[in-house]
Amino acid sequence: MIIVLKPRISKKEERAVLDEIRKLGYTPHVMRGVARTVIGAIGDELTHANLETLAAQFPQAVESVMPIQKRYKLVSREAHPSASTIRVREHVIGGRKLHVMAGPCSVEGEKQLLTVAEAVKAAGATVLRGGAFKPRTSPYEFQGLGEKGLKLLDKARRMTGLAVITELLSEQHVELVAEYTDIIQIGARNAQNFQLLIAAAKTGKPILLKRGLSMKIEEWLLAGEYVLANENPNLMFCERGIRTFETYTRNTLDLSTVPIIKHESHCPIVIDPSQGVGRADLVTTMCKGAVAMGADALLIEVHPNPAEAWSDGAQQVTLDGFAQLMRALQPFITAAGRE
Ligand code: PEP
Ligand code: MN
């Protein structure tokens, strides 16, 4: 249920409403908007008391009580009509500025990472990506540098001032990864690993949740719900292509998720064209489309020498290619009303 509070009520009145919601067996999630504060009350409405009486019980504080019709509650636009913004160091994702997160698929070594970090920073990226724990299809492929990779990301962050995003693969590494990263990436293969999502949410760090390889949009939104339901409002969704019958591209990048996520949810939407198409030659064009459609950020793989990359060589753009991409994107960023 959603409980809309009246404007300018006192803290004491608000607390009384929250206490009553808890007493009735629900967990309240307070969402403060510019004009109004809204409480999402989460609990099983079949087994708990009806909350509709709250308006009569607290007439000075409660304006209305409405059911949330969707299965996802806290991520829904119904619960939070204005778009959410997420703070990542000095940056705001989901606001006017389009953010570009760029870097290698895998952290391979100091020289490789620092070279990419400096180049993507110079071209206008604000966040450095790089996998230290890699989810590889084959156990015989490079699995990532692990903690050493995290330390290199930290070094690159200190040298360039870029924020860092890296993937969390296992609950076992939650604290370690959270110590080094500004954004925790949950990969496509773990998008419905609910225990991992809960553990990641509990760090309080911003979470980027990729769409699973064969995940319906409703399932993806419900996976995101696990983050918000665990007291972490800092969630962004990331479309990275789904598995279809098509083989010209590695995956089928579903750009319809941009308007759909914007319609269904208040959380930012990020597009990853690199995993999405798996071909460096298509990355710029897919980025233009994503930006024109209103994506809040892009996640792009960049490598100094893609032919020699230890993972995902075919889809990584070169340093020059990335600088060109950023220039080519500018008119689309402006046309979308962003900076
Ligand atoms: C990646 O970003 O390199 C990656 C492994 O992504 P995904 O989980 O989307 O496959
Ligand atoms: Mn990759």
Side-chain angles (χ1 to χ4, degrees), residues 104-106 129-131 133-136 167 169 185-191 208 210-213 238-241 250-251 272 274-276 299 301 311-312 315:
C105 176
S106 300
R129 67 146 287 149
F133 292 99
K134 294 301 301 176
R136 303 309 299 280
E167 180 166 353
L169 262 191
Q185 174 174 328
I186 300 292
R189 290 154 193 82
N190 269 320
L208 177 140
K210 296 252 196 146
R211 182 179 182 185
L213 279 82
C238 177
E239 162 67 32
R240 48 77 72 208
R250 178 182 180 187
N251 292 295
D272 173 352
S274 306
Q275 329 298 321
L299 183 68
E301 289 188 346
S311 59
D312 288 352
Q315 68 197 32

Side-chain angles (χ1 to χ4, degrees), residues 82-101:
S82 62
S84 282
T85 54
I86 297 177
R87 257 208 112 73
V88 178
R89 293 167 81 87
E90 72 272 31
H91 309 296
V92 177
I93 298 177
R96 249 183 87 75
K97 185 173 164 64
L98 173 98
H99 284 273
V100 177
M101 311 178 187

Side-chain angles (χ1 to χ4, degrees), residues 103-308:
C105 176
S106 300
V107 178
E108 297 169 9
E110 179 161 337
K111 185 154 175 281
Q112 175 241 22
L113 188 66
L114 295 181
T115 307
V116 179
E118 264 151 24
V120 299
K121 162 104 188 187
T126 46
V127 181
L128 175 65
R129 67 146 287 149
F133 292 99
K134 294 301 301 176
R136 303 309 299 280
T137 301
S138 161
Y140 307 118
E141 288 164 351
F142 176 57
Q143 304 285 310
L145 294 180
E147 187 167 0
K148 185 170 162 223
L150 296 175
K151 291 198 163 127
L152 291 175
L153 285 165
D154 186 43
K155 182 161 188 184
R157 168 168 61 186
R158 279 186 276 111
M159 285 184 62
T160 59
L162 288 164
V164 161
I165 178 168
T166 198
E167 180 166 353
L168 171 68
L169 262 191
S170 151
E171 271 175 79
Q172 189 189 333
H173 297 133
V174 175
E175 273 145 46
L176 179 68
V177 170
E179 187 186 328
Y180 289 104
T181 196
D182 298 301
I183 304 171
I184 295 178
Q185 174 174 328
I186 300 292
R189 290 154 193 82
N190 269 320
Q192 284 181 302
N193 181 342
F194 303 121
Q195 294 308 315
L196 183 67
L197 281 168
I198 293 169
K202 286 186 172 161
T203 65
K205 292 265 173 184
I207 308 287
L208 177 140
L209 173 61
K210 296 252 196 146
R211 182 179 182 185
L213 279 82
S214 62
M215 220 170 164
K216 289 186 182 181
I217 293 173
E218 188 187 34
E219 292 167 332
W220 188 23
L221 288 158
L222 283 164
E225 188 76 13
Y226 274 87
V227 175
L228 270 70
N230 283 280
E231 307 295 335
N232 187 339
N234 303 310
L235 171 71
M236 42 199 134
F237 289 100
C238 177
E239 162 67 32
R240 48 77 72 208
I242 48 174
R243 184 67 65 83
T244 69
F245 51 82
E246 186 51 70
T247 53
Y248 265 59
T249 47
R250 178 182 180 187
N251 292 295
T252 297
L253 184 65
D254 182 3
L255 286 181
S256 74
T257 53
V258 176
I260 293 170
I261 293 292
K262 288 258 164 251
H263 185 259
E264 294 301 314
S265 176
H266 53 91
C267 300
I269 172 82
V270 182
I271 295 294
D272 173 352
S274 306
Q275 329 298 321
V277 292
R279 288 172 47 170
D281 64 323
L282 297 180
V283 166
T284 300
T285 308
M286 300 316 282
C287 286
K288 289 177 181 171
V291 169
M293 290 172 82
D296 295 297
L298 300 166
L299 183 68
I300 304 172
E301 289 188 346
V302 183
H303 195 284
N305 183 2
E308 301 277 301

